[in-house]
């Protein structure tokens, strides 16, 4: 073995490092994920001890008040949805990881960002290790015109990339993708944990050292195959996940970690023939195509960060012919649905244990906020009792184990969003109702428990019994 090199075992799933091989990873509990890697002792210690920006030489403690925080400089990406997720734009010198399944549109999104930023006259370097220059050109032609301040490079060798960045001094660098980058001194293959970690360390130094903003694309692959971007999450400033159904045209960009803004924000895009288009009003988008006058359908409101999103919850409850009734939940938590159905059975005496139940959040979006509980409850009751809930009724609230409807945060924003979209009645927790004094143009019905919620939708004008046909 060469001098200075040593062998370590890395979990290919979470990056856990061990001196010897193990069957099960103590970090992520996955089996058979340890792979032997030859690493350079020197490079590991250098990346393992990265100095945070501004920490150089500051070995004596300083009072907080004595530190001058310069206003962070933010650059708009020209896409409002992306700016929102980033917390108001790109921060100079930040390292941003964009993760997501293959083919979801990461390269397209970043190329569009490059286009917008290059139009502002910034020097951008787009480094691709996956596609040839011609392929990028073909994609770019679908997106639109580009300015000359966008430069492309097809390269995977980190030393060359470092040299090019030092020479060209771009303001923004895009790396597509981190799994293709490699450092020659490290023996393991590109995409392995040590290569990915080392490459990220290099880009971290570039970002913090020169104030360049670096976007890094990371693929989410099946665990155990190659190092997923999870290992990188600790190292970067911002982690964005691009998700969505490949068969649906919309895509959701979700902030999972953000050192310069709040997380939980989402940006909604739609994949079109000419790249990704922003969806400014996702509620309208999610509700399009809603059935009218059908039982088992109700509109609920969930918050994604600071933004309320209205969505249709559908339930189909029918007699079961199995010993174990079938229950499925699409877009929400299965266990939560089972729990809510048990609550209905116990507290309202609705016989559900011999029924199959299928719950679906229409539009393919995933919502786990407890505020959609009331929506699930009403959709199940609506389907079971064949009760049509009026199209202009919306509901939100958390349901507890004794059937009580509990308060949720940001009630006002939710009601305002419902009002904006033309809803006439809002069923909400009583405590939230009391907090909202003036609200014109929408009828607010405060409910304390599921029984009251059911009564509310049964009232004339809110819900009617379905016609049998
Ligand atoms: P891509 O951005 O390459 O995904 P990733 O980098 O995440 O692997 O491609 C996304 C998909 O979008 C691809 O299958 C082709 C499609 N697409 C469009 O529908 N319209 C477009 O304008 C572009 C550029 C791509
Ligand atoms: Mg790509």
């Amino acid at each position: 073995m060469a001098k200075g090199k040593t062998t370590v075992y890395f979990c290919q799933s979470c990056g856990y490092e061990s001196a010897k091989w193990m069957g099960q990873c103590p970090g992520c509990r996955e089996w058979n994920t340890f792979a032997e890697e030859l690493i350079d002792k020197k490079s590991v210690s250098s990346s393992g001890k990265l100095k945070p920006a501004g920490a150089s030489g500051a070995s004596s403690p300083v009072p907080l008040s004595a530190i001058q925080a310069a206003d962070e400089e933010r650059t708009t990406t020209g896409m409002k949805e992306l700016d929102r997720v980033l917390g108001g734009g790109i921060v100079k010198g930040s390292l941003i990881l964009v993760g997501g399944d293959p083919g979801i549109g990461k390269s397209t999104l970043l190329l569009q960002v490059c286009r917008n930023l290059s139009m502002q006259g910034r020097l951008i370097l787009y480094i691709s290790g996956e596609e040839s220059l011609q392929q990028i050109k073909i994609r770019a032609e679908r997106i639109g015109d580009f300015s000359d301040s966008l430069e492309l490079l097809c390269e995977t060798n980190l030393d060359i990339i470092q040299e090019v960045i030092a020479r060209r001094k771009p303001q923004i660098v895009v790396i597509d993708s981190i799994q293709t980058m490699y450092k020659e001194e490290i023996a393991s293959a590109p995409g392995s944990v040590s290569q990915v970690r080392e490459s990220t360390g290099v880009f971290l130094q570039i970002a913090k050292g020169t104030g360049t903003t670096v976007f890094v694309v990371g693929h989410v692959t099946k665990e155990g195959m190659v190092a997923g971007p999870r290992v990188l999450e600790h190292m970067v400033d911002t982690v964005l996940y691009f998700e969505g159904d490949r068969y649906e045209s919309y895509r959701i960009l979700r902030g999972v970690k953000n050192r310069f803004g709040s997380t939980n924000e989402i940006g909604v895009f739609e994949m079109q023939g000419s790249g990704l288009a922003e969806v400014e009003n996702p509620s309208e988008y999610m509700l399009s195509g809603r059935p009218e006058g059908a039982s088992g359908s109700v509109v609920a409101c969930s918050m994604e960060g600071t933004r309320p999103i209205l969505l249709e919850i559908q339930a189909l409850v029918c007699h079961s012919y199995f010993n174990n009734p079938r229950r499925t939940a699409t877009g929400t938590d299965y266990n939560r649905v089972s729990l809510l159905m048990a609550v209905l059975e116990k507290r309202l005496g609705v016989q559900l244990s011999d029924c199959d139940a299928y719950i679906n959040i229409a539009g393919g979006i995933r919502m786990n906020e407890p505020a959609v509980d009331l929506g699930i409850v009403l959709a199940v009751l609506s389907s079971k009792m064949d009760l049509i809930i009026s199209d202009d009724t919306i509901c939100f609230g958390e349901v507890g184990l004794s059937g009580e409807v509990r308060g949720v945060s940001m009630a006002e924003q939710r009601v305002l969003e419902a009002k904006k979209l033309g809803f006439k009645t809002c069923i909400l927790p009583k405590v939230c109702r009391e907090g909202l004094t003036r609200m014109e143009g929408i009828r607010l019905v405060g409910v304390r428990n599921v029984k009251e919620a059911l009564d509310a939708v049964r009232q004339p004008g809110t819900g009617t019994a379905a016609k049998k046909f």
Side-chain angles (χ1 to χ4, degrees), residues 107 130-131 139 176 219:
S107 308
E130 300 196 330
E131 292 164 307
R139 186 201 302 274
D176 190 2
H219 290 288

Side-chain angles (χ1 to χ4, degrees), residues 348-394:
L348 282 184
V350 185
Q351 181 79 32
L352 289 168
S353 54
D354 58 352
C355 291
D356 288 344
Y358 306 91
I359 312 293
N360 178 28
I361 297 206
I365 195 167
R366 245 201 108 69
M367 288 288 162
N368 284 330
E369 209 209 342
V372 299
D373 284 358
L374 192 58
I376 297 174
V377 161
L378 288 180
V380 168
L381 290 174
S382 161
S383 177
K384 170 76 184 168
M385 299 176 166
D386 246 340
L387 179 82
I388 298 175
I389 298 176
S390 166
D391 293 339
D392 55 15
T393 300
I394 180 170

Side-chain angles (χ1 to χ4, degrees), residues 76-88:
T76 168
T77 58
M79 298 176 108
K80 277 207 218 91
E81 295 292 300
L82 179 59
D83 284 348
R84 181 206 315 276
V85 181
L86 289 172

Side-chain angles (χ1 to χ4, degrees), residues 266-288:
I266 64 165
V268 185
F269 297 88
E270 188 182 358
M271 184 61 95
Q272 295 179 344
S274 55
L276 289 157
E278 299 174 61
V279 177
E280 279 178 18
N281 196 336
S283 299
E284 223 163 80
Y285 191 75
M286 294 296 160
L287 293 180
S288 60

Side-chain angles (χ1 to χ4, degrees), residues 99-112 126 130-131 138-140 142-143 176 217 219 242 246 251 271-276:
D101 290 333
I104 202 87
K106 302 179 292 294
S107 308
T108 309
L109 177 76
L110 290 178
L111 199 59
Q112 279 180 269
Y126 184 102
E130 300 196 330
E131 292 164 307
I138 294 169
R139 186 201 302 274
R142 296 173 74 168
I143 293 172
D176 190 2
V217 171
H219 290 288
F242 214 17
R246 277 174 76 178
R251 306 277 189 268
M271 184 61 95
Q272 295 179 344
S274 55
L276 289 157

Side-chain angles (χ1 to χ4, degrees), residues 287-336:
L287 293 180
S288 60
R290 192 153 60 98
E292 280 173 23
S295 64
S297 158
V298 67
V299 178
C301 183
S302 175
M303 294 298 292
E304 282 293 329
T306 51
R307 181 152 66 160
I309 293 201
L310 306 190
L311 27 96
E312 186 200 347
I313 299 180
Q314 299 183 326
L316 181 67
V317 179
C318 53
H319 183 74
S320 176
Y321 293 94
F322 304 100
N323 287 340
N324 267 340
R326 272 180 72 91
R327 301 274 154 91
T328 65
T330 315
T332 184
D333 184 23
Y334 172 84
N335 293 323
R336 190 85 201 153

Side-chain angles (χ1 to χ4, degrees), residues 59 111 122 160 181 185 214 224 232 243 252 256 287 304 307 310 325 338 368 377 388 416 420 423 445 464:
S59 50
L111 199 59
R122 287 164 206 280
I160 301 178
M181 301 295 150
E185 294 93 84
V214 185
L232 320 176
E243 51 184 55
I252 291 168
V256 191
L287 293 180
E304 282 293 329
R307 181 152 66 160
L310 306 190
S338 306
N368 284 330
V377 161
I388 298 175
L416 287 175
K420 201 170 86 193
F423 285 87
V445 187
T464 42

Side-chain angles (χ1 to χ4, degrees), residues 156-269:
T156 52
N157 188 330
L158 270 177
D159 296 326
I160 301 178
I161 290 173
Q162 254 177 309
E163 189 265 316
V164 172
I165 293 176
R167 187 156 42 86
R168 298 295 301 145
K169 298 194 175 54
Q171 283 159 294
I172 290 159
V173 175
V174 175
I175 308 294
D176 190 2
S177 65
I178 194 76
Q179 271 96 356
T180 56
M181 301 295 150
Y182 74 97
K183 210 171 166 75
E184 250 165 327
E185 294 93 84
I186 301 178
S188 56
S192 61
V193 176
S194 48
Q195 284 286 11
V196 166
R197 201 152 50 176
E198 187 65 25
S199 317
T200 315
V202 167
F203 293 121
L204 187 63
Q205 266 161 343
I206 291 175
K208 301 297 164 199
T210 63
T212 313
T213 302
V214 185
F215 281 94
V216 171
V217 171
H219 290 288
V220 183
T221 40
K222 286 215 178 68
E223 280 167 341
M225 295 292 288
V226 276
R230 298 235 147 225
V231 233
L232 320 176
E233 283 185 2
H234 312 288
M235 302 174 76
V236 302
D237 295 313
T238 304
V239 180
L240 308 179
Y241 270 99
F242 214 17
E243 51 184 55
D245 202 330
R246 277 174 76 178
Y247 306 104
E248 299 262 2
S249 57
Y250 74 84
R251 306 277 189 268
I252 291 168
L253 189 66
R254 203 180 279 275
V256 191
K257 164 180 173 180
N258 195 350
R259 287 188 184 147
F260 309 108
S262 78
T263 49
N264 302 324
E265 288 287 356
I266 64 165
V268 185
F269 297 88

